[in-house]
Amino acid sequence: MDEAGRGSDGGYGLAPGRRARLRRLDAAHHLHPFTDNRELAARGTRILTHGEGVYVHDQDGRRLLDAFAGLWCVNLGYGRRELAEAARRQMEVLPYYNSFFGCTTEPAIELAAELARHAPLEQAMAFFTSSGSEAIDSVVRLVRHFWAVQGKPEKSHIIGRRNGYHGSTVAAASLGGMAAMHGQGGLPIPGIHHINAPYWFGEGGSLSPEAFGLQRARELEEKILELGPQRVAAFVAEPIQGAAGVFIPPSTYWPEIQRICRRHDVLLVVDEVICGFGRTGQWFGCQTFGIEPDVLVVAKGLTSGYLPLGAVLFGPRVGRVLQERGGELAHGYTYSGHPVCCAVALETLRILERERIIERCQEDTGPYLARRWHELGTHPLVGEARICGMVGALELVPDRRVRAFFPDRGRVGARCRDLALQNGLILRATWDTMLLAPPLIIRREEIDELVEKAWKALDQTQAELARG
Ligand SMILES: *Cc1c(COP(=O)(O)O)cnc(C)c1O
């Protein structure tokens, strides 16, 4: 390793002394999210040091192909100078001002207007947050307020889905349907309900995907009737359920959900935190699935992950009521509409348009990735390969002729993930489902490398299983 910490393969690592010191400090002082911290402290954290394009470099100077775009967010890839420039310019001009008390800043206004131009909503109005979780918490409060100011305070119950993921704050984790999250910290809060997910591979039984999609959508109607439509404020859902395992819903699902929400006058809130800004091959997952939402939630790809920023986008029905009849909104964050974050988001949207990145995914790299991803679906360890645009999953199963899981769920997926990492590929595993969400700028030759490395990891996992 040379002075700059450049490793033998030209990547950037940390000198051994520094690496050991950082790991020691991390173990002593840093609690990691979604991590068994005792186990991590014993093992030593991975430290990422640099990134460019679809690659990141770790402490040992190894170059890793990041097929998960950080955490579903680095859509433009690493090392985009324009984004750093946009942040620097705004920091020099005006690093902070709030949007309270009748004020705001130029980037916040421009970004609200740009989001309205792109979002599949008429005359959208944006409420800014610093994260997806805060945006979902804002939805819970503002949607209830929307009904209350129209004389319907009892229309306050909100329905989410089992294994949905909407973030980690109190309301967002309640609305999500992750059992492990509900098990910590006294969740869910009152007034939140869940229906089952349209996860055909895992739960579809002998039904066709289409019949199953309808059945799962109709659970929403049953739940609304059980609670009473006059008490249900909103249904909140991701177009594709991401964290749970990239559940791509059957074609029958969303049209039926839409019908049910309209029929019972329940607001349809679509969580586009993963799907927004090109992930499914269109600007928003709503467009891919033909959904007409009342409210949209965005974060992650909004800044390509370069700075924390989220937003709730209200369609005309809700936005106008909050504006005209909402009174003083008793809700907001110090960093709502943070000018530096908004400037970086504006530049992110400009790059997406200028470089026609979403069109390229739709016309070229998306179909290519789909073809190659489905090749992985022929591997003996894989029961299903599914993909929509630039987000996909592989189901690892003991017998690919049967849609059934490994008995000790999660062990094989974790092993496959670790082997992929040893081969220089970052994939995520949820139980035994391998998840894919590469930066949208990934090129064909990088897709080839990704598939080759994933195949090798599958082979190695299978060889280990055969050895027992
Ligand atoms: C990540 C995520 C969130 C939460 O966003 P944070 O910025 O982590 O708070 C909400 N919804 C979905 C679908 C997500 O993937």
Side-chain angles (χ1 to χ4, degrees):
M1 200 172 288
D2 70 12
E3 281 290 286
R6 216 180 284 257
S8 52
D9 65 351
Y12 295 87
L14 297 170
R18 176 154 177 78
R19 183 177 63 204
R21 176 172 171 275
L22 287 172
R23 280 192 168 145
R24 217 162 40 238
L25 291 174
D26 188 73
H29 301 296
H30 185 190
L31 280 175
H32 292 236
F34 286 105
T35 298
D36 179 333
N37 280 276
R38 183 165 85 162
E39 190 253 342
L40 181 66
R43 177 160 46 94
T45 188
R46 245 179 331 126
I47 307 169
L48 287 307
T49 59
H50 293 78
E52 79 281 318
V54 298
Y55 296 98
V56 290
H57 301 259
D58 71 5
Q59 68 280 328
D60 302 322
R62 289 186 337 133
R63 196 169 82 137
L64 308 168
L65 198 170
D66 183 6
F68 204 63
L71 205 45
W72 328 84
C73 55
V74 187
N75 291 354
L76 299 181
Y78 298 91
R80 296 293 309 221
R81 286 190 182 256
E82 310 93 304
L83 297 180
E85 267 303 304
R88 190 187 59 78
R89 268 197 315 271
Q90 186 59 41
M91 275 208 186
E92 286 176 357
V93 174
L94 183 66
Y96 175 77
Y97 208 78
N98 62 62
S99 298
F100 293 25
F101 318 133
C103 306
T104 192
T105 60
E106 291 172 69
I109 298 173
E110 298 279 8
L111 181 59
E114 276 300 287
L115 288 171
R117 183 164 74 82
H118 288 295
L121 291 166
E122 297 285 317
Q123 308 218 317
M125 297 193 80
F127 184 90
F128 289 114
T129 70
S130 298
S131 69
S133 300
E134 285 178 6
I136 293 284
D137 273 47
S138 300
V139 162
V140 170
R141 293 194 64 204
L142 294 175
V143 152
R144 285 173 171 169
H145 186 54
F146 162 81
W147 289 115
V149 300
Q150 296 176 98
K152 297 181 177 173
E154 73 290 350
K155 205 165 163 66
S156 65
H157 290 257
I158 302 182
I159 302 172
R161 296 184 295 185
R162 297 203 177 89
N163 289 313
Y165 186 79
H166 301 293
S168 277
T169 47
V170 170
S174 295
L175 195 57
M178 301 289 186
M181 294 179 74
H182 290 177
Q184 294 177 4
L187 304 183
I189 57 171
I192 303 280
H193 310 268
H194 299 90
I195 60 171
N196 285 308
Y199 177 30
W200 179 78
F201 184 85
E203 300 167 5
S206 59
L207 292 177
S208 70
E210 291 71 27
F212 177 71
L214 273 184
Q215 188 193 71
R216 285 285 153 107
R218 286 182 185 148
E219 284 193 20
L220 176 60
E221 189 149 46
E222 288 160 29
K223 182 60 82 180
I224 291 171
L225 293 173
E226 174 195 321
L227 295 164
Q230 74 289 353
R231 296 172 67 224
V232 181
F235 174 62
V236 183
E238 307 156 71
I240 292 172
Q241 259 170 276
V246 182
F247 302 164
I248 302 170
S251 62
T252 47
Y253 183 76
W254 275 110
E256 183 68 1
I257 291 285
Q258 183 92 56
R259 179 192 72 73
I260 292 165
C261 287
R262 286 220 176 105
R263 166 132 193 246
H264 299 289
D265 201 19
V266 166
L267 294 176
L268 179 53
V269 180
V270 177
D271 180 343
E272 292 264 12
V273 171
I274 288 173
C275 292
F277 311 106
R279 180 57 59 196
T280 66
Q282 307 220 38
W283 273 82
F284 291 92
C286 283
Q287 292 153 335
T288 300
F289 293 98
I291 309 165
E292 294 175 16
D294 296 295
V295 179
L296 282 189
V297 175
V298 295
K300 294 196 168 107
L302 172 56
T303 57
S304 197
Y306 278 52
L307 282 176
L309 183 67
V312 187
L313 305 177
F314 293 102
R317 181 176 181 199
V318 186
R320 288 293 157 247
V321 167
L322 292 176
Q323 182 172 45
E324 301 294 332
R325 300 169 63 187
E328 179 179 330
L329 289 185
H331 182 71
Y333 307 100
T334 301
Y335 301 128
S336 284
H338 192 290
V340 180
C341 302
C342 289
V344 168
L346 277 168
E347 188 61 27
T348 301
L349 301 184
R350 273 187 217 117
I351 292 171
L352 282 173
E353 280 198 297
R354 190 168 66 226
E355 299 184 8
R356 303 186 73 251
I357 288 170
I358 297 171
E359 289 84 344
R360 185 147 43 91
C361 288
Q362 196 176 58
E363 292 156 15
D364 181 40
T365 47
Y368 185 70
L369 177 62
R371 191 164 87 241
R372 304 258 21 223
W373 193 247
H374 283 299
E375 285 172 28
L376 293 170
T378 66
H379 191 279
L381 195 56
V382 177
E384 181 180 83
R386 52 180 181 265
I387 186 162
C388 173
M390 305 299 268
V391 57
L394 298 175
E395 297 279 5
L396 308 190
V397 290
D399 178 353
R400 66 190 312 270
R401 291 162 306 183
V402 190
R403 276 189 358 253
F405 300 125
F406 285 100
D408 48 347
R409 261 184 106 184
R411 188 177 61 85
V412 175
R415 190 60 195 142
C416 183
R417 176 200 61 206
D418 292 346
L419 288 165
L421 191 63
Q422 282 174 25
N423 300 329
L425 174 68
I426 299 176
L427 282 177
R428 176 168 164 187
T430 295
W431 302 109
D432 299 316
T433 310
M434 309 308 296
L435 310 186
L436 170 79
L440 303 183
I441 47 108
I442 192 169
R443 294 175 302 170
R444 280 180 177 237
E445 55 272 30
E446 293 160 342
I447 291 172
D448 291 338
E449 181 188 340
L450 187 165
V451 169
E452 207 171 288
K453 289 184 162 157
W455 188 278
K456 188 169 163 205
L458 291 169
D459 272 350
Q460 291 169 325
T461 308
Q462 205 199 11
E464 285 193 7
L465 281 173
R467 283 200 298 273

